[in-house]
Amino acid sequence: MLKPLRLRTMRLSIVMLLVAGLSEGQAKDEGNEIHMYDLTHEDLADTKVEDNNSGLTKSATTVNQSCEPPIYSVLMELGALRERLSATVRALEETNKKLEASEKNLFALNKTVTELSKVDQGQSKVAFSVAQPLDGTIGPVNVLHPLVYKHVLSNVGGHYNQHTGYFTAPVRGVFYFTFTSFCWGGSEECGGSLYHNGNHKVSWYGRSPNHSLSASNSAILLLQVGDKVNVHLWRNMKISDNGNSYSTFSGFLISHL
């Protein structure tokens, strides 16, 4: 009787243990399901938030992209700006060239004005005109005779010497000289020359047994400061006048150098 009772008791214990195990396992499974359900719900909520945030980010990105100009438009504007800048630089360079040319022209003009101002101030004014004051004839003489024109018509600058008959150049420049002679009819031959520093340059000559005659000549000479110019009567020649100033000697400065 004991054995069957023990066996039955063991069987009952095993059944209870199985029932208890199943109950515990079911309870664990239900706890797990509740926990998983909660996580799934939170996850869904988080997903919705993330989706909302993603939507906001996408919307902000879309707005930013719509506000920003396309890159090719920016490049085109930069290219146009560069062209305008290059054109401005070229225009400034041309303006600088014109200004430099104007400065050179202004410098040359100022130099010319200064030179003209010096001339106006009398620093470079040179001119004279003189004549023989005699009523008669000089010559004939047996030497080359320097003529002294003592009747001074003008002597601008005072560079003609009425006591020696010489003109002395005050500046380096180009000068014009002219001289005339007069001879009574029936006189001997008439002739003379213009001399520069004792060197013959140009001459006049005349001969008329029956009539009076007059002759002249002129020259343009380059003179240095201190050079001397005068007129000489040839040997055995004559020159005449009667106070009417037929025989004259004149000169003036054309341009100083």
Side-chain angles (χ1 to χ4, degrees):
M1 291 296 292
L2 293 174
K3 290 183 179 178
L5 182 59
R6 286 182 183 175
L7 181 60
R8 186 178 299 175
T9 303
M10 290 178 62
R11 288 178 179 175
L12 181 60
S13 299
I14 292 172
V15 171
M16 291 177 68
L17 290 173
L18 289 174
V19 172
L22 290 172
S23 299
E24 185 179 357
Q26 185 177 1
K28 289 183 178 179
D29 290 340
E30 289 177 357
N32 289 336
E33 287 179 0
I34 293 170
H35 182 68
M36 290 177 63
Y37 175 77
D38 293 337
L39 290 176
T40 303
H41 181 71
E42 292 175 357
D43 291 339
L44 290 174
D46 293 339
T47 303
K48 290 181 180 180
V49 172
E50 289 178 358
D51 290 340
N52 291 333
N53 291 334
S54 299
L56 292 174
T57 304
K58 290 180 181 178
S59 298
T61 304
T62 304
V63 172
N64 290 334
Q65 289 180 352
S66 63
C67 292
E68 293 179 355
I71 187 64
Y72 66 88
S73 299
V74 175
L75 293 176
M76 290 179 64
E77 291 180 0
L78 289 176
L81 180 61
R82 182 179 180 182
E83 289 296 328
R84 291 196 295 270
L85 182 60
S86 299
T88 303
V89 170
R90 288 193 296 269
L92 288 175
E93 290 177 351
E94 291 295 328
T95 302
N96 288 335
K97 290 180 181 179
K98 292 179 180 179
L99 287 175
E100 290 176 358
S102 299
E103 288 178 357
K104 291 180 180 179
N105 292 335
L106 183 60
F107 177 78
L109 181 61
N110 288 337
K111 185 178 180 180
T112 302
V113 171
T114 301
E115 293 176 352
L116 292 175
S117 178
K118 290 181 179 179
V119 173
D120 292 339
Q121 292 173 4
Q123 297 181 9
S124 300
K125 290 183 178 180
V126 180
F128 73 96
S129 183
V130 293
Q132 290 288 343
L134 59 86
D135 185 5
T137 299
I138 299 175
V141 293
N142 57 1
V143 294
L144 191 63
H145 179 70
L147 295 175
V148 179
Y149 299 84
K150 294 185 178 181
H151 181 39
V152 178
L153 303 175
S154 63
N155 189 15
V156 179
H159 303 292
Y160 172 79
N161 191 328
Q162 66 185 79
H163 303 291
T164 63
Y166 283 88
F167 167 80
T168 303
V171 295
R172 182 178 184 272
V174 179
F175 293 80
Y176 173 83
F177 297 97
T178 183
F179 58 100
T180 62
S181 64
F182 175 79
C183 293
W184 295 110
S187 301
E188 301 291 337
E189 295 176 311
C190 300
S193 296
L194 181 73
Y195 279 76
H196 171 209
N197 289 341
N199 299 311
H200 165 268
K201 293 301 177 182
V202 294
S203 303
W204 50 263
Y205 172 79
R207 182 176 184 277
S208 178
N210 301 319
H211 303 283
S212 299
L213 57 86
S214 180
S216 66
N217 208 338
S218 60
I220 296 175
L221 303 177
L222 172 61
L223 304 183
Q224 306 296 328
V225 177
D227 284 1
K228 297 184 180 298
V229 178
N230 73 328
V231 179
H232 284 78
L233 183 65
W234 288 348
R235 294 182 182 89
N236 302 319
M237 300 291 174
K238 296 180 179 180
I239 186 172
S240 304
D241 210 323
N242 61 359
N244 289 324
S245 300
Y246 295 124
S247 299
T248 61
F249 174 39
S250 303
F252 59 87
L253 172 65
I254 296 177
S255 175
H256 69 277
L257 301 176

